[in-house]
Structures are given as structure tokens and as C-alpha cells.
Amino acid sequence: IQNICILADAKGISSLIMNGYDEEELCRVFHIPCRFHVSAVVALGYKSPDYVQFMQPRFGFEKMVFDSVWN
């Protein structure tokens, strides 16, 4: 999956690895045989010309680093 995303980015295509979906519903909608297990879904596409990406960390630096690690 990572290689697909890296190659897509090299070709100017955006990608997003998704999880947390209803696997049974996904298999039903896309007619995936029950003998297969869906481990992830990868969305691929082009960004709109006016898209602006806002980089915001999930946690502040103070919540990710503890003083005891550096002492």
C-alpha cells in the first residue's frame, strides 16, 4: 500500500490510506467475494487547483516528548 501511495505521489496523484470502515458493507457494495479480507482502502485522485493543505499536528510537542526521556 505504501508503494502505491509513493508511486501515485511521484505521478502527481494524491492518496489516502483509510481504515475504520464496515468491511461487510464494503464487500457487499463492491461485490468482493467473502473469501477475501480487506485490510485497507486506498483513495487516489487529483487535488483541485484551489486546494490548500493545512498542516496541523494531532498532538502538541509537549504531549509527545517527556522530560524524563532527555535526562
Side-chain angles (χ1 to χ4, degrees):
I1 293 172
Q2 181 181 8
N3 288 344
I4 291 170
C5 294
I6 291 170
L7 179 60
D9 187 62
K11 299 291 185 180
I13 301 170
S14 298
S15 63
L16 176 66
I17 301 171
M18 298 181 279
N19 59 16
Y21 45 83
D22 182 346
E23 184 176 358
E24 289 180 14
E25 181 68 9
L26 184 76
C27 290
R28 186 187 66 75
V29 169
F30 289 101
H31 307 288
I32 300 170
C34 62
R35 68 180 183 269
F36 294 108
H37 172 71
V38 180
S39 60
V41 174
V42 180
L44 299 169
Y46 293 98
K47 294 178 187 174
S48 65
D50 58 344
Y51 175 77
V52 178
Q53 182 175 358
F54 296 98
M55 297 298 290
Q56 182 176 9
R58 297 179 93 187
F59 302 104
F61 187 75
E62 66 281 352
K63 290 188 177 185
M64 295 188 291
V65 178
F66 299 93
D67 290 337
S68 61
V69 173
W70 304 108
N71 292 331

